[in-house]
Amino acid sequence: MKNSIKSSIIISNLCIVVIAYITTLALSSNITEIISIKNLLLLLIYILISVVLNSIISNLITIPLKKITRNMNIVASGKLHEPKHLEEYVKFLEIQDLVNEYRKMMALINKNSFDLNGQKSKTEIILEHMADGVVAFNISKKVIHINKSALRLLELKDVDYTFDKILQKLKINLEFDKIMYLPNYKSIETKVTVGSNNLNIVFVPFFSDKLSPMGVIMMVRNITENVKLDNLRKEFVSNVSHELKTPLTSIKGYSETIMNGDLTYKEILKFSKVINQEANRMDRLVADLLQLSRFDYKKVSWKKMMFSLDTLAKGVCEKMKYQADQKHHKLECIVTVKPPDVYADRDAIEQVIMNIVSNSIKYTKDGGNIKIYIGSVNNNAYFKVVDNGIGIPEKDLDRIFERFYRVDKARTRQMGGTGLGLSIVKEMVEGNNGTIQISSKVNQGTEVVVTLPTKINATNK
Ligand SMILES: Nc1ncnc2c1ncn2[C@@H]1O[C@H](COP(=O)(O)OP(=O)(O)OP(=O)(O)O)[C@@H](O)[C@H]1O
Ligand SMILES: [Mg+2]
């Protein structure tokens, strides 16, 4: 059983007083004096004085101890606390030493806990603002931390999840223990699809100071863009091979037929014509690909200059007349408002207009109407090519500027199209600080609007 300092001091001093009283009187060897009223009264007074004095002394010791205990309780409850007014209660050197040591210890705890809190909040901010998702599970598979990116990427509504529930949702067949007891610095990686996102997920165990496993960290990275780019690359290679294979097959077939002999001059001429056509097609395709590759590697240097857009458009109209006449189209060039001179690469813009007009000629049934309007809006010059052709379905409009994208592959290939024209046009327009928009209705026609910077805007840049 433990006693308080105060009661111990009082009891021990009381004992001393009583023993002193009895011994003093015993020495006088008069037993009647020991129990005489006068001496008992004296004993009572001694006792009272001793209790009061002991109480004062014990308070001087216990009050600072109680204050220190209270301060320690506050610290133990997790609050940072600076002990105040302790010195006021200290009356003994030994207690002063204790208070000094206590202050030193508190200063150290406060500093460590400040550093720790700083570190914690820094880690929390980094985790919260990371594009990658991070989920931490404790040894009993419960989520102990999950950041916003993880909730978003894994499409989780709340944080009340366990390892098993999350893996079940992601359809990943993996045991917690298998990750927990992975050899040092090893991880398990897997790929899943959640909604429209492709995710790469890495599982690693984390350890305590003594290297015993404490749980599992799950890192989630959105790799949708990489997958998309990878698919585009694959699609591109497949498209190029296909586009080259078709004319090559014809060239091979016809040249073999010619080589086999037994053909009339007329037949040889006819087959040679086909070979020439297919070779030209391959030539065009390779030229287009080289042009796109120059855009990709930023190897194109624009020869920008001021020029009149309406004069250029009228020139293109003249040049395309023959092609339009072949299909009995009516091709017109109309200047609605004479625009200020544009600042761009003249040859590139000529190619842009030709490409767009050539599409209108190709994708409009014989006897169609194709108009090139030239005008000005908000100090920008624009031209608009409008046809009443076959049009483009709405679902294809978003993809029309993609390389090799064609609405009807088989049909457009027959017309000689490779699906690279509009992607080159877009690169050229944007490279000259212009914009391009396309709108269309199936069986009604298509409208392509291109705006270009003018002298006024160009000098502002
Ligand atoms: N004016 C238009 N009317 C209807 N469809 C069009 C029109 N312009 C383009 N398209 C559609 O958009 C597709 C892509 O056009 P783009 O100019 O890029 O390629 P292309 O004409 O097939 O080949 P290229 O221009 O390389 O010879 C075309 O295949 C066609 O389906
Ligand atoms: Mg085209």
Side-chain angles (χ1 to χ4, degrees):
M1 198 184 104
K2 293 196 173 60
N3 296 315
S4 74
I5 293 180
K6 199 170 174 175
S7 60
S8 305
I9 290 175
I10 292 172
I11 291 168
S12 62
N13 275 299
L14 275 180
C15 293
I16 293 167
V17 169
V18 174
I19 294 166
Y21 170 81
I22 295 170
T23 351
T24 318
L25 291 180
L27 285 176
S28 69
S29 61
N30 189 347
I31 195 79
T32 47
E33 272 188 31
I34 293 177
I35 47 164
S36 76
I37 303 276
K38 189 183 123 211
N39 283 340
L40 282 177
L41 217 65
L42 214 60
L43 175 63
L44 203 68
I45 292 167
Y46 287 160
I47 288 174
L48 273 175
I49 293 170
S50 159
V51 167
V52 172
L53 279 176
N54 283 323
S55 171
I56 291 169
I57 291 168
S58 62
N59 274 348
L60 290 177
I61 298 171
T62 54
I63 287 175
L65 290 180
K66 275 186 188 156
K67 291 264 169 201
I68 291 177
T69 314
R70 205 170 303 145
N71 275 296
M72 281 178 149
N73 281 338
I74 297 174
V75 178
S77 70
K79 284 180 201 146
L80 286 185
H81 184 67
E82 190 66 39
K84 282 183 194 143
H85 313 301
L86 275 180
E87 271 75 3
E88 288 172 23
Y89 306 95
V90 177
K91 302 292 177 223
F92 299 105
L93 278 174
E94 291 82 351
I95 303 280
Q96 182 60 56
D97 285 348
L98 178 71
V99 168
N100 288 346
E101 288 309 310
Y102 171 69
R103 278 203 179 283
K104 269 192 221 161
M105 189 187 75
M106 280 309 300
L108 198 69
I109 291 178
N110 278 349
K111 186 185 172 296
N112 285 351
S113 129
F114 185 78
D115 289 352
L116 211 69
N117 280 349
Q119 193 71 29
K120 197 173 151 220
S121 89
K122 202 164 75 186
T123 316
E124 267 169 16
I125 287 172
I126 293 173
L127 279 174
E128 272 318 293
H129 292 86
M130 265 170 70
D132 289 351
V134 178
V135 191
F137 302 93
N138 63 12
I139 206 146
S140 42
K141 304 189 192 179
K142 277 221 167 95
V143 171
I144 49 171
H145 186 90
I146 184 161
N147 69 354
K148 269 192 220 140
S149 300
L151 284 172
R152 179 175 45 80
L153 291 171
L154 301 173
E155 296 187 349
L156 301 175
K157 300 272 175 315
D158 53 61
V159 291
D160 191 21
Y161 278 97
T162 58
F163 178 86
D164 293 335
K165 262 198 208 167
I166 293 181
L167 265 72
Q168 200 182 348
K169 181 179 175 342
L170 300 176
K171 298 191 181 77
I172 299 175
N173 191 8
L174 188 61
E175 274 170 32
F176 192 78
D177 286 353
K178 199 176 161 195
I179 312 165
M180 285 278 284
Y181 299 103
L182 273 175
N184 258 357
Y185 305 110
K186 290 271 181 255
S187 57
I188 294 180
E189 202 170 329
T190 181
K191 289 186 176 58
V192 291
T193 307
V194 177
S196 57
N197 286 329
N198 298 92
L199 307 177
N200 186 61
I201 301 186
V202 179
F203 296 94
V204 275
F206 65 95
F207 303 93
S208 70
D209 284 352
K210 288 174 190 132
L211 288 178
S212 50
M214 282 182 73
V216 165
I217 304 265
M218 172 181 181
M219 281 171 287
V220 188
R221 176 160 288 183
N222 191 350
I223 52 160
T224 315
E225 275 308 303
N226 304 25
V227 172
K228 225 187 244 171
L229 283 176
D230 205 38
N231 287 343
L232 274 178
R233 187 185 53 78
K234 284 182 198 153
E235 207 178 303
F236 186 77
V237 173
S238 132
N239 275 324
V240 172
S241 344
H242 193 78
E243 290 303 325
L244 288 173
K245 196 166 173 13
T246 320
L248 267 177
T249 315
S250 305
I251 291 173
K252 213 168 153 259
Y254 283 109
S255 56
E256 274 167 10
T257 319
I258 294 173
M259 281 190 313
N260 283 341
D262 284 348
L263 292 175
T264 61
Y265 175 72
K266 223 174 152 187
E267 281 170 329
I268 293 174
L269 202 67
K270 190 178 149 200
F271 293 166
S272 304
K273 242 186 194 168
V274 179
I275 291 172
N276 186 259
Q277 260 172 17
E278 294 300 312
N280 280 339
R281 186 180 155 79
M282 278 171 66
D283 194 38
R284 266 203 323 271
L285 177 72
V286 173
D288 281 356
L289 285 171
L290 282 175
Q291 193 161 21
L292 280 167
S293 148
R294 279 197 294 274
F295 289 132
D296 290 344
Y297 290 103
K298 310 253 180 287
K299 279 193 187 153
V300 182
S301 53
W302 304 108
K303 293 185 196 77
K304 291 188 185 174
M305 60 175 92
M306 305 299 308
F307 64 90
S308 153
L309 183 64
D310 44 308
T311 312
L312 180 76
K314 281 177 195 158
V316 173
C317 223
E318 283 305 312
K319 283 187 192 169
M320 307 291 287
K321 198 108 189 107
Y322 176 76
Q323 221 181 308
D325 284 348
Q326 298 287 97
K327 287 188 77 181
H328 313 290
H329 292 319
K330 192 176 166 200
L331 176 63
E332 284 175 277
C333 188
I334 303 154
V335 180
T336 45
V337 182
K338 186 174 165 48
D341 279 2
V342 297
Y343 181 68
D345 184 317
R346 196 176 186 280
D347 290 345
I349 301 308
E350 182 173 30
Q351 197 183 333
V352 166
I353 308 176
M354 281 173 112
N355 263 333
I356 299 170
V357 174
S358 118
N359 276 349
S360 288
I361 295 173
K362 259 199 288 188
Y363 305 115
T364 301
K365 284 183 193 136
D366 281 16
N369 277 319
I370 299 158
K371 291 189 177 82
I372 311 174
Y373 293 97
I374 295 111
S376 163
V377 63
N378 299 334
N379 288 330
N380 275 325
Y382 75 86
F383 72 86
K384 182 163 77 174
V385 180
V386 184
D387 65 50
N388 60 346
I390 59 172
I392 302 164
E394 209 180 323
K395 67 170 176 47
D396 296 297
L397 275 176
D398 279 351
R399 303 195 59 190
I400 214 75
F401 294 108
E402 282 175 22
R403 294 172 190 191
F404 290 112
Y405 194 83
R406 283 161 300 191
V407 173
D408 180 346
K409 277 202 177 188
R411 218 170 75 176
T412 43
R413 194 176 287 128
Q414 267 173 20
M415 294 180 187
T418 56
L420 291 176
L422 283 179
S423 46
I424 292 174
V425 161
K426 193 169 189 294
E427 296 276 1
M428 285 180 155
V429 171
E430 288 175 355
N432 281 281
N433 301 323
T435 63
I436 180 161
Q437 273 170 343
I438 188 159
S439 53
S440 187
K441 283 237 153 64
V442 175
N443 294 328
Q444 287 185 27
T446 302
E447 184 180 298
V448 184
V449 187
V450 173
T451 65
L452 290 166
T454 59
K455 198 172 187 175
I456 306 158
N457 284 349
T459 44
N460 283 344
K461 273 183 185 167

